[in-house]
Amino acid sequence: MNSATAPAGAPVSSERHTAEYLRVKGLAERGIASAQHSLGFMYANGQGVPRNDAMAVMWYREAAGAGLSHAQYNLGVMYQKGQGVAQDHAEAIDWYARAAEQGYAPAQYNLGWLYAKGQGVQADAGQALHWFGQAAAQGDPGAQHNLGMMYEGGKGVAQDLDAALAWYRRAADQGYARAQFALALRYDSGQGVERDAAQALEWLRRAAEQGHAPAQFNLALRYDKGQDLEQDSRQAIAWYERAGAQGHASSQFNLALILDSGHGVPRDEAAALTWYRRAAERGHAGAQDNLGLRYEHGQGVERDPAQAAHWYRQAASQGLPAAQYHLAQLFDAGSGVEHDPAQAAEWYQKAAEQGHLRAQFDLGLRYESGAGVEQDAARALRWYLRAAEQDYAPAQHMVATMLDRSDAANPVEATRWYRKAADAGHALAQFALALRYDSAHGAERDYEAAYFWYLCAARQGHARAQFNLGVMYATGQGAARDLVEAHAWLARAAGSGVAAAGPYLKRVAGRMTAAQLAQVQGLQEAA
């Protein structure tokens, strides 16, 4: 929205203001419309007289009634803003229309804006297009930019990217920052013009240097990621700071991320926390979640689970799945909030429905056990499957386990899921897969394959896999017979509490030669 502008030749010093006020007041009281407008402007801006919006409205009204377009426009501004008079968009439209019909470009722009927004009048894209067009033809850069937006989006007119680009360029060439930013985005995306990274950066920089926060953020992002220019964290920080100082929440959040990670600059946890907080207070969901994590774990602040719950809830209410999951965990543990399995399940569900992998898995656990929800094996399997399809190994293992023990057991399909989890390094799945090859359950018997997967699980500390591996070495099944290796793995299993390992270990030791026993002792001493 355009605002009131000073009349040509407006006085500049406070002493001249006072003298000018007395002169203009005399003329205004004699009914000179231009003086009435000037006097209204003086009252509106406190020039030569204390600011008085009501008096400004009175004198603007006198001049507007005489048909002075500047006064009609400024009276419209007062009604639109509710300054010196009750806010009334319909009255604003009436006065803007009178000035606009006389060809006054700022009034044409504001009239178009009100029609576009549907304020004081039913939204009418055609009328908005008309009045923006009138103002744009007179060189108003804001109207030119808005015409570009309407042509780009096909609002009130057939979509025309060439026309949109032309209007953006006319406004941008006049130094209008929003149009410069729009032009940069077109060159960056190649929408309606051949992609040109250099042109995109040039227009971005022009808009950013004028203080346009979205352009500053976009330029910072390019320095941050090294997109179309050399990566430079210090330049990124400088532009994020300029936008962040204007309250641009995404800039504040990204600045916090850089300072928190120390990417290309010394790490500064305290400064990061400050920027997380500023972004969080402006409603940035990612920052709210990050702030919650810091309060939950006492990172840079005193640990406060209740504050963590507050910030998680703020972000969760905006639909951020990570925050919904974190809030669910607090309800699950009764940390910072009252223990409430039902609330936990509800937030897990919200996050899971948005594809949050861990929430899907944890929701599966709850449906399987009946924690906070009615026990439902079918639903548990569905949620496990959704997480498993994202290559989450624990979920793949649970899918296999449920398929194994369901009424309609499917050993072959279970084996397929065990294999997926085993390939990802999941020890329980590796052991289960080894058992299947060992016993020919859901797969053809293959002792070498069984040996391989027992070994994988055993190396991760799986006690039963260690025992079975020891047996295989002792019997020469799936691997060459090796009593020293057998003894080593059985000893590990025994140490992990496998009851059968002790007696078997004694039998193996009884079959070993003195040299082999010495080798075992040497290995034990070396360990």
Side-chain angles (χ1 to χ4, degrees), residues 46-71:
Q47 291 184 348
V49 65
R51 178 173 172 169
N52 188 322
D53 287 342
M55 289 295 290
V57 168
M58 185 190 83
W59 286 110
Y60 281 152
R61 193 184 303 279
E62 291 292 323
L68 196 68
S69 61
H70 291 60

Side-chain angles (χ1 to χ4, degrees), residues 106-127:
Q108 293 169 336
Y109 174 89
N110 281 14
L111 191 56
W113 192 87
L114 289 173
Y115 272 113
K117 298 295 181 182
Q119 292 186 356
V121 67
Q122 186 172 349
D124 188 329
Q127 281 291 309

Side-chain angles (χ1 to χ4, degrees), residues 368-385:
E368 186 179 3
S369 65
V373 293
E374 188 175 344
Q375 193 172 26
D376 189 327
R379 284 190 177 183
L381 180 58
R382 282 201 297 273
W383 285 114
Y384 285 143
L385 272 169

Side-chain angles (χ1 to χ4, degrees), residues 112-166:
W113 192 87
L114 289 173
Y115 272 113
K117 298 295 181 182
Q119 292 186 356
V121 67
Q122 186 172 349
D124 188 329
Q127 281 291 309
L129 185 76
H130 168 75
W131 289 114
F132 285 144
Q134 294 291 306
Q138 295 190 66
D140 186 291
Q144 292 169 340
H145 169 260
N146 287 1
L147 271 185
M149 290 179 66
M150 295 188 81
Y151 275 108
E152 183 180 352
K155 294 180 180 177
V157 64
Q159 187 181 47
D160 187 334
L161 296 181
D162 289 338
L165 197 68

Side-chain angles (χ1 to χ4, degrees), residues 68-385:
L68 196 68
S69 61
H70 291 60
Q72 292 168 339
Y73 165 74
N74 282 340
L75 185 57
V77 170
M78 301 298 274
Y79 272 111
Q80 186 175 354
K81 292 183 175 181
Q83 293 178 340
V85 67
Q87 188 177 48
D88 189 331
H89 286 110
E91 276 288 321
I93 282 188
D94 180 57
W95 288 110
Y96 285 150
R98 297 189 196 193
E101 286 162 1
Q102 294 190 65
Y104 191 57
Q108 293 169 336
Y109 174 89
N110 281 14
L111 191 56
W113 192 87
L114 289 173
Y115 272 113
K117 298 295 181 182
Q119 292 186 356
V121 67
Q122 186 172 349
D124 188 329
Q127 281 291 309
L129 185 76
H130 168 75
W131 289 114
F132 285 144
Q134 294 291 306
Q138 295 190 66
D140 186 291
Q144 292 169 340
H145 169 260
N146 287 1
L147 271 185
M149 290 179 66
M150 295 188 81
Y151 275 108
E152 183 180 352
K155 294 180 180 177
V157 64
Q159 187 181 47
D160 187 334
L161 296 181
D162 289 338
L165 197 68
W167 283 114
Y168 285 143
R169 190 178 297 281
R170 288 178 66 174
D173 286 340
Q174 292 191 69
Y176 193 69
R178 290 179 64 198
Q180 292 171 335
F181 179 58
L183 203 55
L185 295 182
R186 300 289 82 71
Y187 277 114
D188 187 46
S189 65
Q191 186 180 5
V193 64
E194 187 174 348
R195 187 178 188 277
D196 188 327
Q199 280 283 303
L201 283 168
E202 174 64 22
W203 287 111
L204 264 184
R205 198 174 297 279
R206 289 193 193 186
E209 286 170 351
Q210 290 194 75
H212 188 63
Q216 292 170 336
F217 169 72
N218 213 287
L219 188 57
L221 202 60
R222 281 163 166 68
Y223 277 115
D224 196 357
K225 307 302 180 187
Q227 179 186 341
D228 297 327
L229 40 68
E230 189 174 348
Q231 198 281 333
D232 189 332
S233 293
R234 294 190 182 279
Q235 279 288 331
I237 285 174
W239 286 110
Y240 281 142
E241 282 182 336
R242 290 177 67 173
Q246 298 184 64
H248 193 273
S250 292
S251 292
Q252 293 169 338
F253 177 63
N254 282 16
L255 179 55
L257 290 176
I258 290 182
L259 294 169
D260 201 16
S261 66
H263 179 60
V265 293
R267 186 168 185 266
D268 190 337
E269 187 178 57
L273 184 66
T274 297
W275 286 107
Y276 279 136
R277 191 179 302 280
R278 290 180 68 175
E281 287 169 351
R282 294 195 68 83
H284 192 286
Q288 292 167 339
D289 184 50
N290 255 293
L291 199 53
L293 285 168
R294 273 147 186 76
Y295 276 112
E296 183 180 0
H297 301 293
Q299 184 183 345
V301 293
E302 188 175 343
R303 187 174 181 276
D304 188 338
Q307 272 292 306
H310 164 76
W311 287 113
Y312 287 151
R313 193 184 294 276
Q314 296 289 311
S317 297
Q318 293 189 65
L320 187 71
Q324 293 169 339
Y325 177 70
H326 293 144
L327 186 58
Q329 287 185 307
L330 291 186
F331 277 113
D332 230 357
S335 177
V337 291
E338 189 175 341
H339 175 63
D340 190 334
Q343 275 280 308
E346 184 178 327
W347 286 111
Y348 281 132
Q349 180 103 19
K350 288 178 185 292
E353 286 171 350
Q354 294 192 72
H356 192 283
L357 186 152
R358 286 296 304 275
Q360 292 171 341
F361 178 70
D362 284 9
L363 192 59
L365 289 173
R366 273 142 194 81
Y367 275 114
E368 186 179 3
S369 65
V373 293
E374 188 175 344
Q375 193 172 26
D376 189 327
R379 284 190 177 183
L381 180 58
R382 282 201 297 273
W383 285 114
Y384 285 143
L385 272 169

Side-chain angles (χ1 to χ4, degrees), residues 22-40 59 62:
L22 293 173
R23 185 188 72 79
V24 171
K25 183 173 182 290
L27 293 172
E29 288 172 343
R30 293 205 298 271
I32 306 299
S34 60
Q36 291 169 338
H37 172 256
S38 295
L39 188 58
W59 286 110
E62 291 292 323

